Amino acid sequence: MRREILTMLAVLTCQPAFASGGIHCSADAGGVTIDVGGGVTHGMGGPLFSFEGKLEIADKAIAADLGETAFAREHVAQYWLDGEDLRLLLYREREGDKPHGYVELTIQTTARGGDDGEGFYDGRYKLSVFDATEENGGEGVTVEREGEVVCSAE
């Protein structure tokens, strides 16, 4: 009986360790600044266990509360990280009693490859900001931007 218990303890304590790492994406051009990232586990499908970031858009057509948007883990609608691709879909709706509005940010990147590019991803982002402003009779106004983005993963 004692031997069985020791064997069971040995099996339970000798499980492989799952390390953690992180992802980070940024862009800063054309009046759009993106800085987002989070923690990722390297096991069990590589889920995000934390996430935060900020998006700033310098455009007078966009309301201030949508032009500076903070993201958290609950705003990650989709996430994909494999050896070749890193993709994120972030979505956040306006809070409070103002008219409906949202910010949707899609990031699609591909690994650089090579020894000096390991862990780095280059690609593009697409940004869509919708605001059902009262100034235009409640009709929605959508502002779209896109550009280059750089990401890293460890």
Side-chain angles (χ1 to χ4, degrees), residues 90-151:
L90 307 177
Y91 179 82
R92 179 156 189 188
E93 290 188 353
R94 170 185 275 147
E95 296 178 357
D97 59 355
K98 292 183 180 180
H100 178 65
Y102 67 81
V103 175
E104 181 177 289
L105 175 63
T106 303
I107 295 174
Q108 294 185 331
T109 64
T110 304
R112 285 185 192 167
D115 292 336
D116 60 340
E118 186 174 340
F120 290 96
Y121 297 76
D122 296 317
R124 299 199 52 83
Y125 72 84
K126 290 183 182 180
L127 173 63
S128 181
V129 180
F130 175 81
D131 191 3
T133 61
E134 294 176 10
E135 291 84 30
N136 59 7
E139 292 293 319
V141 173
T142 303
V143 175
E144 296 182 340
R145 299 282 184 270
E146 62 180 85
E148 294 181 2
V149 65
V150 176
C151 298

Side-chain angles (χ1 to χ4, degrees), residues 11-33:
V11 168
L12 291 174
T13 59
C14 293
Q15 296 295 317
F18 295 112
S20 61
I23 61 169
H24 180 261
C25 296
S26 63
D28 190 5
V32 176
T33 302

